[in-house]
């Protein structure tokens, strides 16, 4: 063959040989992995395996560089090399999606030995990428940890050098090296939401601003929005002064004071990590060029959730080589309230010249009917790039809409359905209830407690929110950075060391006059008449921190922590108060050491106090997911993103609840609500239920509810309407009505008829409606202490005690396999029989 044919053949075989390493991928996923050069947008639908694609792409870059995306043929390539590659590809012919015209038949995959693999890698590699030249940014520590684990399995120890981390972690690392260019010390502290809230409360108090006029949360929200728009405090002040609005000028003054105090404490909030990292790169060309040279490939996950600052950071880092790959789904952009800008993903091709777009539409999670219903809903949005999820999974059962009387009946229906599901072999944790507002969990929790159903509300108090853990982190932060006034104030008299509120207030006043930190003020306290009596105790506290700070220079982190527990007196305080609450707190304080040890194992080269504090400061509720306990999951739809469950219940499928009443006057807001519906629906793997109440009480008001417009957008072929009205609320002898009142037509919702689940009502059901078996009134068995009973899900047990409670009774039942549970008699009667 001539040179042109040879080069073309060699390049094609090289691509096919590389593809043999990724036979687990489908065709579109493989194309995404092999297209290494230039800007690339991967539109990854829900459940399409985007994490697999991301990690496989990194594996390809490290092993083969740009070999799969180039026609370049190195000098010295021979006909013998082509013959070898043909034989190699042929051995994988049964698994290689890119198998083309190879006809050689020289063995099987098992016939390839280590020498063959090494020769293949040598022939196919073009400038393999050192791991440290790749940055892969995710949004949560949990996602980053999963990526690291997969890369570690694929690549071994070299994977540790990849910058696989969150936006905030990446920015913290960048700032740690060069933040002194911005006038900060490199030993800066990161304030979490609790810290910034406490700081803001003090600022408002000092500025004599009533929290009824401006709450700390509201002030911080204004400031966060300004930082997200890359508006610094002094610039914000000028803008607000020009507008002349009193409230805006107030916010501006608060913002200036907030930044001043953060700077004085050498501290940053979460927004500062992004804002100052971008500023550092924009204002220092040498630092920007350093990172642009370093990162040959930039990968960004969940790109639809990025804000303006995150876009600027990603674009800046990719400005050197132009190799940026973003993965996201415009149909899952649901975080506008956090500052996410859907335009980042919609305008990707405009912002990055010659960008490629690949759609990942094959879903591996859900059944066919669930995907068809989800496509029906999201197709109504106009502001989207467009894609259609499909699956080779079974069609499964259709999603169902259930009509109930009110929110109490809704909760009982969900509880009964889950108990029946568990009785048929499912686990508790395979069920999730999703709602639009946190307040909707109230009745669910009540019903679950009464029925003994184990549950967890995602977003509840996590490990790092517990007071004792906050205290220990405050100690560690103060050791690392004594200028951190917020942390110092938390621990200065904890445990009690005779430094009262009056002394603390005088210390704050003294430090303010001297223009120094509280720590520095302590060493000036003997000179102040008002503090002379407390000066000795203050000095002892400060000296302890100095000693611990010195010890931190030489001791491993776990030994430093042990020393802190003893020197601070914190353990002694908890041990002296021998209560169940303090025993639990003591266990938590010791459990903190487990986290430190795990951190040290994961960061053998840099198990520093700064690194540990930075990592713990960046945790979110979803990162602290407890997967060890079997429980039903309750959460908002926003919290559910990225998760999946066998069975999903979407409650409150009503106008004004979902979609939210605040969204009904804006097309853009309705489209975001619709994306939220799409996210909620695609969490379900096998069963999907919508529940709609005829009336609902929220925030003390009872209103008649209309069915959500999103239900009407699902074609009748993809959903079943079921009247669960009887048995879940007041009993009616006859129901046969046209639903959705006349004004529902204006919302574009298709009307349908409900009827009773009785035999008489079955005849009047719409053709696509399937009646359930009629539920007769529940007879409460005469349970007695000592009775042997059988529970639908918990199995066999003995009633230990029955305590009357109004028209009900609290029963304590010891189950053989599930342990002892406390159940309300009336609520469990439907699943608890006397044996």
């Amino acid at each position: 063959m001539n040179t042109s044919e040879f080069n073309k053949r060699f390049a094609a075989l090289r691509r096919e040989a590389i593809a043999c390493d990724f036979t687990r991928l489908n065709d579109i996923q493989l194309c995404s992995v092999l297209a290494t050069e230039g800007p690339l947008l991967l539109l990854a639908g829900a459940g399409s395996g985007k994490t697999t694609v991301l990690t496989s792409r990194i594996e390809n870059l490290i092993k083969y560089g740009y070999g799969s995306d180039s026609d370049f043929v190195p000098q010295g390539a021979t006909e013998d090399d082509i013959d070898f590659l043909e034989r190699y590809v042929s051995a994988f012919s049964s698994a290689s999606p890119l198998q083309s015209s190879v006809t050689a038949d020289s063995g099987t995959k098992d016939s390839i030995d280590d020498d063959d693999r090494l020769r293949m890698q040598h022939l196919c590699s073009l400038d393999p990428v050192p791991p440290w030249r790749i940055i892969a940014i995710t949004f949560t520590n949990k996602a980053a940890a999963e990526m690291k684990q997969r890369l570690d399995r694929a690549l071994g120890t070299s994977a540790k050098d990849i910058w696989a981390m969150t936006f905030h972690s990446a920015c913290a690392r960048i700032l740690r090296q060069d933040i002194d260019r911005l006038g900060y010390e490199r030993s800066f502290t990161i304030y979490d939401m609790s810290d910034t809230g406490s700081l803001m409360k003090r600022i408002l108090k000092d500025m004599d601003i009533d929290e009824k006029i401006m709450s700390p949360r509201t002030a911080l929200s204004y400031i966060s929005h300004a930082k997200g728009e890359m508006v610094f405090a002094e610039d914000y002040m000028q803008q607000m002064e020009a507008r002349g609005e009193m409230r805006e000028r107030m916010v501006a003054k608060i913002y200036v004071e907030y930044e001043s105090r953060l700077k004085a404490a050498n501290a940053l909030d979460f927004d500062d990590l992004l804002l100052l990292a971008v500023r550092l790169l924009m204002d220092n060309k040498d630092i920007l060029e350093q990172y642009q040279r370093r990162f040959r490939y930039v990968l960004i996950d969940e790109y639809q959730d990025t804000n303006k600052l995150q876009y600027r950071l990603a674009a800046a880092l990719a400005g050197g080589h132009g190799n940026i790959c973003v993965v996201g789904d415009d149909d899952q952009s649901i975080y506008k309230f956090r500052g996410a800008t859907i335009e980042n993903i919609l305008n990707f091709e405009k912002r990055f010249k010659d960008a490629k777009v690949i759609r990942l539409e094959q879903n591996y999670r859900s059944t066919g009917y669930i995907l068809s219903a989800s496509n029906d809903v999201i197709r109504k949005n106009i502001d989207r790039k467009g894609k259609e999820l499909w699956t080779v999974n079974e069609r499964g059962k259709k999603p169902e809409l259930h009509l109930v009387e009110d929110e109490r009946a809704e909760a009982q229906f969900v509880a009964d359905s889950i108990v029946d599901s568990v009785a048929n072999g499912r686990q508790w944790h395979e069920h999730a209830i999703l709602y639009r507002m946190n307040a909707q969990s109230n009745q669910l929790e009540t019903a679950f407690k009464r029925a003994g159903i184990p549950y967890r509300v995602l977003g509840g108090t996590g490990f790092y929110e517990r007071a004792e853990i906050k205290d220990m982190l405050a100690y560690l932060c103060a050791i690392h950075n004594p200028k951190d006034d917020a942390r110092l104030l938390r621990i200065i008299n904890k445990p009690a060391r005779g430094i009262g509120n009056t002394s603390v207030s005088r210390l704050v006043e003294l430090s303010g006059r001297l223009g120094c930190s509280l720590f520095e003020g302590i060493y000036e306290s003997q000179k102040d008449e008002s503090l002379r009596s407390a000066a000795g105790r203050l000095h002892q506290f400060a000296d302890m921190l100095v000693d611990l700070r010195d010890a931190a220079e030489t001791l491993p982190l776990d030994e430093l922590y042990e020393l802190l527990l003893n020197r601070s007196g914190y353990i002694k305080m908890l041990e002296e108060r021998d209560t169940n609450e303090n025993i639990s707190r003591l266990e938590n304080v010791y459990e903190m050491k487990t986290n430190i040890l795990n951190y040290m194992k994961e960061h053998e080269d840099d198990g520093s106090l700064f690194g540990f504090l930075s990592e713990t400061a960046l945790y979110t509720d979803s990162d602290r997911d407890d997967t060890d306990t079997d429980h039903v999951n309750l959460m908002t739809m926003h919290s559910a993103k990225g998760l999946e469950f066998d069975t999903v219940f979407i409650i409150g499928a009503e106008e004004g609840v979902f979609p939210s009443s605040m969204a009904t006057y804006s097309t853009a807001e309705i489209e975001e609500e619709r994306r939220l519906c799409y996210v909620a629906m695609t969490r379900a793997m096998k069963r999907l239920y919508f529940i709609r109440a005829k009336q609902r009480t929220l925030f003390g008001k009872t209103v008649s509810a209309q069915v959500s417009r999103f239900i009407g957008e699902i074609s009748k072929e993809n959903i079943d309407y079921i009247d669960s009205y009887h048995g879940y609320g007041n009993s009616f002898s006859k129901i046969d009505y046209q639903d959705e009142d006349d004004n529902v037509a204006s919302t574009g919702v298709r009307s349908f008829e409900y009827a009773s689940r009785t035999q008489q009502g079955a005849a009047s059901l719409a053709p696509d409606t399937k009646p359930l078996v009629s539920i007769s009134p529940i007879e409460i068995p005469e349970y007695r202490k000592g009775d042997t009973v059988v529970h639908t899900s918990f199995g066999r047990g003995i009633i230990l005690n029955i305590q009357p409670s109004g028209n009900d009774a609290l029963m304590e039942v010891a189950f053989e396999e599930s342990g002892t549970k406390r159940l309300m008699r009336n609520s469990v009667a439907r699943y608890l029989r006397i044996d």
Side-chain angles (χ1 to χ4, degrees), residues 595-779:
N595 293 1
I596 290 174
L597 290 170
N598 288 336
Y599 174 81
M600 293 172 67
K601 289 178 184 178
E602 295 169 2
H603 300 80
E604 294 177 355
D605 298 329
D606 185 28
S608 66
L609 176 57
F610 175 87
F612 176 73
L613 293 174
S614 296
E615 182 165 294
T616 54
L618 297 172
Y619 279 110
T620 62
D621 285 342
S622 60
D623 295 321
R624 289 185 289 272
D625 187 19
D626 177 12
T627 57
D628 295 331
T629 306
D630 190 19
H631 48 230
V632 176
N633 300 277
L634 279 67
M635 67 193 77
T636 65
M637 297 172 191
H638 284 97
S639 298
K641 188 171 178 294
L643 305 178
E644 61 183 26
F645 305 94
D646 179 273
T647 301
V648 169
F649 297 85
I650 298 176
I651 66 171
E654 301 136 25
E655 288 290 306
V657 177
F658 187 49
S660 166
S661 59
M662 295 184 292
T664 54
Y665 301 104
S666 165
T667 300
E669 294 294 334
I670 283 293
E671 291 214 346
E672 175 129 345
E673 292 283 298
R674 189 174 284 112
R675 291 193 292 269
L676 188 58
C677 184
Y678 175 78
V679 167
M681 293 173 71
T682 53
R683 300 311 94 196
M685 300 168 68
K686 294 183 179 178
R687 297 303 308 271
L688 175 61
Y689 299 89
F690 293 93
I691 301 96
R692 173 266 170 119
K694 282 295 292 179
Q695 64 179 26
R696 183 175 299 276
T697 303
L698 269 176
F699 311 117
K701 294 183 178 180
T702 302
V703 295
S704 296
Q706 301 171 5
V707 69
S708 169
R709 69 189 69 196
F710 303 143
I711 300 301
E713 293 169 355
I714 302 174
S715 65
K716 64 180 182 180
E717 293 81 11
N718 292 326
I719 188 169
D720 282 336
Y721 303 117
I722 300 175
D723 175 17
S724 299
Y725 201 37
H726 282 77
Y728 295 101
N730 295 333
S731 178
F732 286 82
S733 59
K734 181 179 179 182
I735 300 178
D736 186 6
Y737 56 88
Q738 181 72 24
D739 195 28
E740 308 327 299
D741 302 328
D742 296 336
N743 60 350
V744 179
S746 64
T747 68
V749 180
R750 176 168 51 84
S751 291
F752 50 87
E753 290 185 358
Y754 287 104
S756 169
R757 293 192 296 179
T758 61
Q759 291 295 326
Q760 291 85 356
S764 64
L765 286 167
D768 59 333
T769 308
K770 297 180 180 179
L772 291 178
V773 176
S774 178
I775 297 178
S776 58
I778 301 235
E779 293 186 6

Side-chain angles (χ1 to χ4, degrees), residues 190-198 270 461-478 484 486-492 494 561 564 570 585 588-589 592 613 616-619 621 624:
I190 302 171
Y191 277 14
D192 64 14
M193 293 178 65
S194 175
D195 300 321
T196 57
S198 298
F270 273 25
T461 302
F463 183 78
Y464 284 94
E465 270 75 47
R466 294 168 185 169
E468 60 273 18
I469 299 304
K470 286 281 189 183
D471 292 341
M472 301 322 300
L473 285 174
Y475 268 107
L476 291 173
C477 286
D484 189 340
R487 268 47 179 269
L488 202 74
L489 285 172
R490 183 180 183 95
I491 61 172
I492 196 168
K494 192 180 291 185
Y561 185 70
L564 164 62
Y570 203 91
R585 288 178 176 177
N588 290 333
V589 169
M592 179 77 162
L613 293 174
T616 54
L618 297 172
Y619 279 110
D621 285 342
R624 289 185 289 272

Side-chain angles (χ1 to χ4, degrees), residues 501-629:
N501 291 337
T502 300
S503 296
V504 171
S505 297
R506 290 171 179 171
L507 176 62
V508 171
E509 182 181 352
L510 172 65
S511 301
R513 289 201 313 268
L514 297 176
C516 65
S517 68
L518 295 180
F519 183 80
E520 293 165 331
I522 287 175
Y523 288 105
E524 300 294 326
S525 60
Q526 284 180 326
K527 303 175 184 178
D528 189 276
E529 183 65 31
S530 67
L531 278 169
R532 193 159 294 166
S533 62
R537 295 185 293 274
L538 288 169
H539 274 257
Q540 288 179 353
F541 170 69
D543 290 342
M544 176 193 68
L545 290 182
V546 170
D547 291 344
L548 289 170
R549 185 172 172 81
D550 290 339
E553 298 292 328
T554 57
L555 287 181
L557 192 53
D558 58 329
E559 294 182 23
L560 173 67
Y561 185 70
E562 286 282 359
L563 182 62
L564 164 62
L565 295 182
N566 292 323
R567 286 291 305 274
S568 67
Y570 203 91
I571 291 296
K572 184 179 179 181
M573 174 190 74
L574 293 177
E575 289 176 340
E576 286 176 349
R577 303 173 187 172
D578 188 17
T579 64
N580 289 335
E581 182 179 7
N582 271 9
I583 291 173
S584 177
R585 288 178 176 177
L586 194 62
E587 291 172 348
N588 290 333
V589 169
Y590 282 124
E591 183 62 17
M592 179 77 162
K593 185 177 178 182
T594 302
N595 293 1
I596 290 174
L597 290 170
N598 288 336
Y599 174 81
M600 293 172 67
K601 289 178 184 178
E602 295 169 2
H603 300 80
E604 294 177 355
D605 298 329
D606 185 28
S608 66
L609 176 57
F610 175 87
F612 176 73
L613 293 174
S614 296
E615 182 165 294
T616 54
L618 297 172
Y619 279 110
T620 62
D621 285 342
S622 60
D623 295 321
R624 289 185 289 272
D625 187 19
D626 177 12
T627 57
D628 295 331
T629 306

Side-chain angles (χ1 to χ4, degrees), residues 374-563:
S374 302
N375 286 331
D376 285 342
V377 172
I378 200 61
R379 201 180 291 122
K380 300 295 182 181
N381 269 6
I382 297 172
D383 203 10
R384 64 189 293 256
K385 300 187 79 70
K387 65 183 176 306
E388 196 87 357
L389 294 184
W390 60 276
T391 186
V392 296
N393 295 342
E394 63 180 356
R395 291 291 289 166
K397 294 187 177 181
K398 292 182 182 182
E400 296 176 1
L401 172 67
H402 288 258
L403 172 70
V404 296
E405 182 190 2
D406 56 20
E407 70 277 0
R408 290 170 297 177
E410 176 181 66
Q412 189 62 56
F413 169 76
V414 173
D416 291 350
S417 299
I418 292 175
V419 169
D420 288 344
S421 177
V422 172
N424 287 320
R426 298 293 180 195
Q427 300 295 309
W428 297 111
H429 68 263
E430 293 180 286
H431 304 81
I433 301 93
L434 309 184
Y435 37 80
R436 183 63 180 86
M437 298 175 286
N438 280 304
Q440 290 174 259
S441 73
N442 183 28
Q443 292 297 326
L444 289 167
E445 293 188 65
T446 299
F448 287 3
K449 285 176 182 177
R450 294 172 66 88
I453 296 175
Y455 73 92
R456 185 212 39 188
V457 180
L458 188 71
T461 302
F463 183 78
Y464 284 94
E465 270 75 47
R466 294 168 185 169
E468 60 273 18
I469 299 304
K470 286 281 189 183
D471 292 341
M472 301 322 300
L473 285 174
Y475 268 107
L476 291 173
C477 286
I479 293 168
H480 169 66
N481 176 18
K483 290 184 178 181
D484 189 340
D485 287 353
R487 268 47 179 269
L488 202 74
L489 285 172
R490 183 180 183 95
I491 61 172
I492 196 168
N493 198 41
K494 192 180 291 185
R497 44 179 63 93
I499 304 173
N501 291 337
T502 300
S503 296
V504 171
S505 297
R506 290 171 179 171
L507 176 62
V508 171
E509 182 181 352
L510 172 65
S511 301
R513 289 201 313 268
L514 297 176
C516 65
S517 68
L518 295 180
F519 183 80
E520 293 165 331
I522 287 175
Y523 288 105
E524 300 294 326
S525 60
Q526 284 180 326
K527 303 175 184 178
D528 189 276
E529 183 65 31
S530 67
L531 278 169
R532 193 159 294 166
S533 62
R537 295 185 293 274
L538 288 169
H539 274 257
Q540 288 179 353
F541 170 69
D543 290 342
M544 176 193 68
L545 290 182
V546 170
D547 291 344
L548 289 170
R549 185 172 172 81
D550 290 339
E553 298 292 328
T554 57
L555 287 181
L557 192 53
D558 58 329
E559 294 182 23
L560 173 67
Y561 185 70
E562 286 282 359
L563 182 62

Side-chain angles (χ1 to χ4, degrees), residues 173-212:
R173 183 178 291 192
I174 290 171
L175 291 171
R176 184 181 181 186
Q177 297 298 316
D178 296 292
I179 196 172
D180 52 309
R181 297 275 191 102
L182 300 177
Y184 292 79
E185 296 176 20
R186 294 184 181 181
S187 60
F188 62 86
T189 301
I190 302 171
Y191 277 14
D192 64 14
M193 293 178 65
S194 175
D195 300 321
T196 57
S198 298
L199 175 60
M200 185 57 70
K201 284 179 73 72
R202 293 198 301 275
I203 290 173
L204 296 179
K205 181 180 179 181
D206 293 346
M207 295 179 71
D208 199 25
I209 297 174
D210 192 331
E211 290 190 17
K212 295 179 181 178

